[in-house]
Amino acid sequence: MTFPNGKDDLMSFEVSIRPDEGYYLGGTFLFSFQVSPIYPHEAPKVKCKTKVYHPNIDLEGNVCLNILREDWKPVLNINTIIYGLYHLFTEPNYEDPLNHDAAAVLRDNPKMFESNVRRAMTGGYVGQSFFPRCI
């Protein structure tokens, strides 16, 4: 966890996630968190700053995670969100996609999905999109 705006802004921070299993093994993915003044009554705004080929994260970094939207409850916390993000990398969900192309490939051809993830993580093109190296 880092605080890019310094110790005077603890409501804005970044978290790196490094999956130790699954399709994204070995990658490092950076997420920015913006915590609202009315937290915990409103979920933090979370964006993925690492461009990633993933069914639940679009190419602009928007994240599809239920606890960041309709399933947020004030009893949840930052740690719960980090665990949820980690879970997206170990168990990507093609049934609730933001990146519909990646979701369709995961659903219909998991071997091709795995190949696309590796190509993206090592720095390369998947379709028309270039992904910087994150491994």
Side-chain angles (χ1 to χ4, degrees):
M1 180 180 283
T2 59
F3 295 88
N5 300 334
K7 64 181 180 176
D8 294 333
D9 184 7
L10 299 179
M11 303 300 262
S12 177
F13 54 90
E14 296 177 345
V15 172
S16 290
I17 295 186
R18 300 195 66 192
D20 58 7
E21 62 180 307
Y23 295 113
Y24 299 91
L25 172 71
T28 300
F29 305 93
L30 187 65
F31 290 85
S32 65
F33 283 66
Q34 197 62 50
V35 181
S36 160
I38 63 168
Y39 172 85
H41 299 287
E42 178 180 287
K45 305 287 183 244
V46 177
K47 284 272 227 190
C48 185
K49 296 184 78 175
T50 306
K51 190 172 179 183
V52 60
Y53 179 80
H54 194 292
N56 310 110
I57 302 171
D58 68 18
L59 298 178
E60 287 75 47
N62 298 305
V63 179
C64 183
L65 184 63
N66 61 333
I67 61 171
L68 292 175
R69 302 175 320 203
E70 71 275 0
D71 290 342
W72 176 257
K73 296 173 181 60
V75 296
L76 300 176
N77 59 36
I78 301 298
N79 202 44
T80 309
I81 296 168
I82 293 170
Y83 180 77
L85 294 172
Y86 180 84
H87 187 73
L88 283 182
F89 287 103
T90 57
E91 298 286 331
N93 178 7
Y94 61 78
E95 293 178 358
D96 190 17
L98 278 180
N99 181 331
H100 294 276
D101 294 334
V105 175
L106 175 59
R107 182 188 63 232
D108 300 336
N109 191 342
K111 288 284 184 209
M112 178 173 282
F113 179 79
E114 183 174 14
S115 173
N116 288 349
V117 168
R118 283 283 141 205
R119 188 175 319 116
M121 286 175 48
T122 56
Y125 280 90
V126 177
Q128 301 296 311
S129 296
F130 179 77
F131 295 85
R133 183 178 179 84
C134 68
I135 197 166

